Amino acid sequence: MSKNFLEAVKERRSIYALSKETPISDTQIKEIVEAAVLHSPTSFNSQSSRAVVLLGDKHDKLWDITTETLRKIVPAEQFEGTAQKLASFKAGYGSVLFFEDQTVVKSLQENFALYADNFPVWSNQSSGILQFVVWTAFAEAGLGASLQHYNPLIDDEVKTTFDIPAEWKLIAQMPFGKIATAPGEKEFQPIEDRVKVLK
C-alpha cells in the first residue's frame, strides 16, 4: 500500500460523478471485497456479513430495478430529480451490495439469550465497519464510491433477480467507478467540540 491508513481514510469521500471505467482490474475489485469481508470484525466473531459485487449488465440492472421501483412511489412531478440521481449511480462501473445473514443473527440470539436484543444492533455495526473498509480500500485504489440505502423498497426484486438467499438482509448499496468529477472541499466542525481527551 502506497499510503498509510489515515491518509486513505482522509481520501475516502462520497463520490457521485462516476464513469464506467476502473483504474483497477475486476480481479483486484474482487480481492478488495473478499479481504474486507474476511478481516472486518463482527460481534462474537459471528462473520454475519455478506457482499455481492455487481459488474457490467448486473450493475445496470440493479439501478434499473431501483429506478422502476421508485417511479411507482415518487410523484411524477418530483421524479426527474430522482431519475437523475439514480442515473449517476448507474453511470458507475459496478456496485457492491452489503447484506447481513439473519440466520447467523438469530442463532446468536438463541445461543446467547441474555444479549438477544443487541445482536441486530451489533450486526448493523459490523456491516457499517465492512462498508467503511471497502469504501476506504476503493478510495486508496483510485475508485470513487458512495453509499446508498434503497432497501427495503428494492429487497424482494433484488433477491429474486440476483438469486440472493432469503435470509440475507440488504443493508446498503455502494455504486463505484472511476471518478468523473472530484468532490468539493469538505467543511468540518471544530474538532475540539467533537473529541475530548480526559486524563
Side-chain angles (χ1 to χ4, degrees):
M1 298 175 92
S2 59
K3 302 168 187 165
N4 69 38
F5 176 69
L6 288 179
E7 287 174 336
V9 169
K10 292 174 186 176
E11 191 166 317
R12 184 223 53 81
R13 297 285 305 277
S14 292
I15 307 293
Y16 299 105
L18 302 170
S19 73
K20 285 198 180 301
E21 299 172 293
T22 174
I24 61 175
S25 68
D26 292 354
T27 299
Q28 289 171 301
I29 291 168
K30 178 175 177 278
E31 288 171 350
I32 286 172
V33 175
E34 287 178 340
V37 169
L38 277 174
H39 299 291
S40 293
T42 56
S43 66
F44 286 61
N45 194 31
S46 62
Q47 302 179 47
S48 56
S49 298
R50 307 286 182 262
V52 174
V53 180
L54 302 175
L55 303 174
D57 292 342
K58 299 289 194 273
H59 160 77
D60 290 347
K61 181 64 176 175
L62 170 69
W63 298 107
D64 289 342
I65 288 170
T66 308
T67 299
E68 292 313 308
T69 299
L70 291 179
R71 190 187 305 277
K72 297 171 187 173
I73 60 174
V74 175
E77 64 275 9
Q78 298 173 14
F79 186 70
E80 182 57 33
T82 298
Q84 288 178 7
K85 180 187 288 186
L86 295 171
S88 75
F89 304 145
K90 185 177 177 179
Y93 184 79
S95 293
V96 182
L97 303 181
F98 296 94
F99 297 86
E100 284 290 305
D101 189 339
Q102 298 307 292
T103 303
V104 176
V105 175
K106 289 172 184 174
S107 176
L108 287 167
Q109 289 178 305
E110 292 168 2
N111 292 325
F112 302 96
L114 186 63
Y115 304 110
D117 292 344
N118 296 105
F119 284 114
V121 176
W122 293 338
S123 169
N124 281 333
Q125 291 172 347
S126 296
S127 183
I129 293 170
L130 172 60
Q131 294 160 34
F132 172 77
V133 171
V134 172
W135 200 350
T136 304
F138 276 178
E140 200 218 11
L143 282 168
S146 68
L147 197 62
Q148 305 304 318
H149 302 90
Y150 290 100
N151 44 291
L153 296 172
I154 63 172
D155 291 24
D156 291 342
E157 192 167 354
V158 163
K159 288 181 181 181
T160 300
T161 301
F162 302 117
D163 196 25
I164 306 296
E167 299 80 14
W168 291 17
K169 180 181 179 183
L170 183 59
I171 305 295
Q173 308 85 53
M174 182 179 288
F176 65 87
K178 186 176 179 183
I179 300 171
T181 305
E185 288 296 316
K186 188 174 182 178
E187 294 184 3
F188 296 94
Q189 297 175 9
I191 194 63
E192 58 270 19
D193 293 343
R194 302 174 65 193
V195 178
K196 302 295 183 188
V197 178
L198 307 177
K199 293 186 181 181

